[in-house]
Every structure is written in C-alpha cells, then in structure tokens.
Amino acid sequence: MSHNKQVTANIDRIKADVEAATSQDQLIQVITSVQNHPGPLDYNDKLARAMMWLLMGIAVLGAVINHAMGNRYSSLAIVPYALVDSSVYWVPAMVAFAVGRHFHNHGKLPTLPGLLNRSWVVPALIAVVVGLLAQLPPWQMAYWFTLGNLLMLLTLGGQVYFGLEISFGALLLGVGLYLWLRKRKHWRDPVSDRIQHLDILFNNNLLQERVDATGKARQLGRLFRDFDRGNYSREIRALYSGDCTGEVHDFGYQLYHFHYVDKRTETYTDSDGKTRTRTRYDHYDRYGVLLAFPFAKGVSLDGDSRLRFYGDKYTSASNAFNRAFKVRARDQMEAARLLTPAVVELLTEFGSRFRQPVIEITDKGKMCIAFDDKDLLKLERRHGLDQPDAFKEEIAGHAKLEKLDTLLEMVHNLMRLSDNNFA
C-alpha cells in the first residue's frame, strides 16, 4: 500500500473510532491513539503542491504579460490588471506578513498583551508598515524595473505569449488544487471539532437522534407554525434528546437545528446593458427546543415578524413584553391564565437574550421554543489533535453550555410558575 493510501486508511480508522465512542474517556483514548499512532498520518503531496505553484505561476505570468501588452479586450481583464497595477503595494506587504508570521511562530518576534496577543497581529502590523513604505517613489521605480526585467527573462524577450483565458483556467485549477491540499493537510481540524462536539453531548447528557431530515421537518410543520418557512426546502439537520431535572419539575426535551431555503427570481443588468433574470437560493437556520407543556393550550408568542399567527390577540400590561412578543391565543382567557406578571417578567428577559424568539403551545400541550441563536451547543475549541496533551486536558474538563442552561432554567421556571400546584 502506498504512503498516501496508508494515511487515508489510518485517518478513516481514527474517524470510525471517534464515531464509535460512547463516553468522554473513550474520546480521550482516541486522542491518545492519534498521539502514539505507529503509522503515517500526514500526506506526501509534494508533486501536487509543485503542480499548484506551477498553475499559480502561469496565472500570474499570463496576467502580467497581457497587462504589459495592453490587451484589454475583455471585461475579465479588469480584475487581474487592477491586481497587477496595485501589486507594487500588496506584494511587499504580503511578503512581509509571511516572513513576520514565520518569525513569530518561531518565537523571534515580540508578543502584544491582552486581546492583541494573536499570532497574526504583529505580522499584520509589519505588513502595514511595509505597505506604507511602498508608497515611496524609489521603491516603486525599483519594483517596476525588476518586474519588467523578470518578465522579459520569463517570456524569452517577449516571444512567449498566451491569452487571459489560459491564465484564468490555470488560476481556477490552482485554487482548486490549493483547497484540496489544504483539506488534506488540516484533516485534524474537523476531526477535533467532532471530538469536541461529542464531548459536549456526553457532558450534557444529550443523545443525537437519527431522523428523516425532510420527513421530520414536515411532521413538525404540521404542529408548529415556526416550521412553516422556506418555499423551496425544509429539513431537520440535527436532533438531540435530553432530560432536565429541576427543583420542582423534571422534563424531557429535544433540541433541534432546522434549515430552510427560500427560492426567488431576481432581475439584473449584465455588462452589456441587457436585463436578465437569475434564480437565487437563500439559506436560513433556526434552532430550538421541543417538549411537553400541559399547563396551557393554544397560545403563541411571536417575537419574529417573519411569521403570521392566528387567534385572538392578547396584550399584557407590560410595554416591554408587548414590544418583545405579539400574543395570539385560541381565547384570551387562556393567554391571561398563562401570562401572569411573573411569567411576563420571565419571558421578557428571555426575549432579550435570544434573537427572533417564538414560543408556541399547541392545543394538545406540545411546546416549541424557537430562535435564531446558533450557539446553543457550541464552545470555542482552544486545542486540537495537533496538540494532543492540551486537547486531552480540554476534553477531560466539563463542557458547560451556559446558553443551554439559561434556556432550560427558563423552561423550568415557566413550568413552575404555570403549575397551579406550585405557583
């Protein structure tokens, strides 16, 4: 088996071990196995990398050649010609940034305090200074003189020429090859993300459920208006089940990620002044929690103007609450019984913490709390498989999800305040 095939097999095995893990300890064992892995884990892509640089070189050379010859026969030339014209500034700045990043990574540059202590800050400052120095006429004269002589050398005195079409083709192939190589080089990043995600689930007693993405969205759409979004497609991309133990109430719940797409047609004017149409697909995401709520029926609280709910309107005595939510109910008495002053205060605070919130309670006592916030199950990952010891220590800690805890606490308090036996 070749080196790269062996690397692929080893990585696939590591991914399988991650998916097979059922506890935090097993995730740490996977990290240890990567740290002490006997086989190769990094691809040998020297030939592909050389091909990438060759394609990039052809793209750059073609742009410079056509710029020097003044071939402005296509609107495609606007971008590369602008890049060539401004290269006297950004080329030295980029070189300075790359060199600065190299020295910074080797500890040969000073670090800045606080939030400025990032690996790119000092190199970026150096690049800015170099870019400003590039405004000086002596530098610009030297740059164009050097570039002109280099161009004559590479084109054999102007005998080598090819059009911008070849340059753009080489650029597209080079960029595609770069992205492919980058994905192979940094395969540890998505695997580290997956390990962290599973650790979050284990720490918070959440179980990921396998569902029919479109079928589940269709099912929920029959229950709740918040899933009546997207004229092109709707799907549940993730569903997790968990249990919450509170001081008064214990309840099971499901967290979900709902993705929907709107399809629209728009008109535009092309470069020739002709009016044309094109189809756009706008992607959106909603998140939320599903649970049983037997303390009210047929009430909706809408903090998202994109939807329209039906039923009798209800207005509370709180202006802050009325600004946050528009209430509809099958009858006003049902809303009045639910929205006591204490509940109104609780939900007003909830509305200030979550974006575009919607709370729906069906006639059968099913509740959906939806919002736009996507960080319910996310934490910043500080380390990864490239730093196994630090990553193991990070995974071994408790992944506390403050936003999820806030949501569940709100639900528990809503139950407590709505239950006549405890309110």
Side-chain angles (χ1 to χ4, degrees):
M1 184 181 295
S2 68
H3 175 87
N4 283 355
K5 286 185 178 180
Q6 184 63 55
V7 171
T8 299
N10 292 338
I11 294 174
D12 288 343
R13 180 59 186 172
I14 291 170
K15 291 179 179 179
D17 290 342
V18 171
E19 296 303 323
T22 58
S23 67
Q24 186 181 79
D25 290 339
Q26 290 183 5
L27 291 176
I28 294 176
Q29 290 175 9
V30 173
I31 300 172
T32 302
S33 71
V34 175
Q35 183 179 15
N36 302 320
H37 203 285
L41 294 178
D42 293 293
Y43 290 102
N44 182 359
D45 289 327
K46 293 181 179 179
L47 181 61
R49 197 168 299 279
M51 180 63 68
M52 178 197 71
W53 285 114
L54 177 62
L55 290 168
M56 292 295 193
I58 292 174
V60 172
L61 181 61
V64 175
I65 290 174
N66 284 273
H67 179 275
M69 298 184 66
N71 292 333
R72 302 178 182 272
Y73 56 85
S74 170
S75 59
L76 293 176
I78 296 175
V79 174
Y81 287 0
L83 289 174
V84 173
D85 286 335
S86 60
S87 64
V88 67
Y89 307 113
W90 61 262
V91 166
M94 287 189 63
V95 171
F97 180 82
V99 173
R101 190 72 179 265
H102 172 78
F103 281 106
H104 186 277
N105 291 340
H106 287 78
K108 296 182 179 180
L109 287 179
T111 57
L112 299 178
L115 295 176
L116 295 178
N117 186 17
R118 299 289 188 273
S119 62
W120 56 269
V121 173
V122 173
L125 292 175
I126 296 174
V128 170
V129 172
V130 171
L132 292 174
L133 292 176
Q135 307 284 335
L136 299 176
W139 158 255
Q140 297 189 13
M141 292 176 60
Y143 176 82
W144 291 119
F145 176 79
T146 303
L147 184 62
N149 282 279
L150 181 61
L151 181 62
M152 292 297 292
L153 177 64
L154 294 175
T155 60
L156 303 178
Q159 298 182 43
V160 176
Y161 168 78
F162 47 88
L164 277 177
E165 294 83 358
I166 295 178
S167 296
F168 273 104
L171 178 62
L172 292 176
L173 290 174
V175 170
L177 197 53
Y178 165 78
L179 295 175
W180 179 72
L181 289 169
R182 189 178 187 278
K183 181 179 179 181
R184 283 160 66 89
K185 181 180 180 181
H186 298 284
W187 66 266
R188 290 174 177 81
D189 288 341
V191 178
S192 299
D193 289 339
R194 182 59 177 166
I195 290 174
Q196 186 205 34
H197 180 70
L198 290 176
D199 180 58
I200 288 174
L201 298 184
F202 296 152
N203 280 185
N204 293 275
N205 298 316
L206 293 170
L207 177 65
Q208 184 166 3
E209 299 184 18
R210 293 185 178 182
V211 295
D212 175 9
T214 56
K216 188 64 177 179
R218 193 180 307 114
Q219 175 193 355
L220 292 172
R222 290 192 288 265
L223 294 174
F224 302 105
R225 286 281 295 164
D226 201 77
F227 295 93
D228 187 17
R229 303 171 186 260
N231 60 18
Y232 182 73
S233 67
R234 306 169 186 175
E235 61 179 358
I236 299 296
R237 289 197 164 178
L239 187 68
Y240 309 95
S241 60
D243 295 290
C244 179
T245 302
E247 294 181 2
V248 177
H249 288 281
D250 300 337
F251 59 92
Y253 63 91
Q254 290 179 310
L255 303 176
Y256 67 84
H257 172 193
F258 173 51
H259 181 80
Y260 64 97
V261 181
D262 280 329
K263 178 181 178 181
R264 58 185 174 87
T265 302
E266 65 179 17
T267 59
Y268 69 99
T269 303
D270 63 14
S271 58
D272 297 325
K274 296 181 180 180
T275 300
R276 300 185 181 275
T277 61
R278 59 189 171 195
T279 301
R280 293 287 193 184
Y281 297 91
D282 299 319
H283 294 255
Y284 302 95
D285 295 278
R286 293 280 283 175
Y287 305 84
V289 58
L290 305 166
L291 65 147
F293 191 82
F295 311 109
K297 295 180 179 180
V299 180
S300 64
L301 293 82
D302 177 19
D304 182 2
S305 59
R306 294 170 292 185
L307 288 179
R308 182 180 179 183
F309 290 87
Y310 302 98
D312 295 337
K313 291 183 179 180
Y314 177 83
T315 303
S316 77
S318 169
N319 291 329
F321 176 83
N322 295 333
R323 286 192 296 268
F325 294 102
K326 306 300 180 186
V327 181
R328 294 272 187 169
R330 64 178 184 177
D331 66 73
Q332 291 191 351
M333 288 302 298
E334 188 73 25
R337 283 192 293 268
L338 172 67
L339 298 174
T340 62
V343 169
V344 165
E345 182 180 356
L346 174 70
L347 295 181
T348 301
E349 182 180 359
F350 165 72
S352 67
R353 292 190 177 189
F354 288 79
R355 294 185 294 114
Q356 308 296 326
V358 171
I359 301 176
E360 297 180 70
I361 308 171
T362 69
D363 290 338
K364 295 184 178 181
K366 301 292 185 181
M367 173 182 276
C368 173
I369 303 175
F371 36 80
D372 281 352
D373 303 66
K374 63 181 180 180
D375 55 348
L376 204 61
L377 295 180
K378 287 189 177 181
L379 291 173
E380 181 183 0
R381 179 171 61 82
R382 300 187 303 274
H383 307 288
L385 288 172
D386 55 340
Q387 299 172 298
D389 289 327
F391 193 35
K392 283 189 287 187
E393 183 178 352
E394 181 178 346
I395 293 299
H398 179 70
K400 183 176 177 59
L401 299 171
E402 294 184 0
K403 200 153 196 175
L404 175 60
D405 291 343
T406 298
L407 175 63
L408 296 178
E409 182 182 5
M410 186 279 295
V411 171
H412 177 264
N413 287 331
L414 182 60
M415 287 183 169
R416 177 178 58 82
L417 294 172
S418 303
D419 188 347
N420 292 329
N421 294 321
F422 296 96

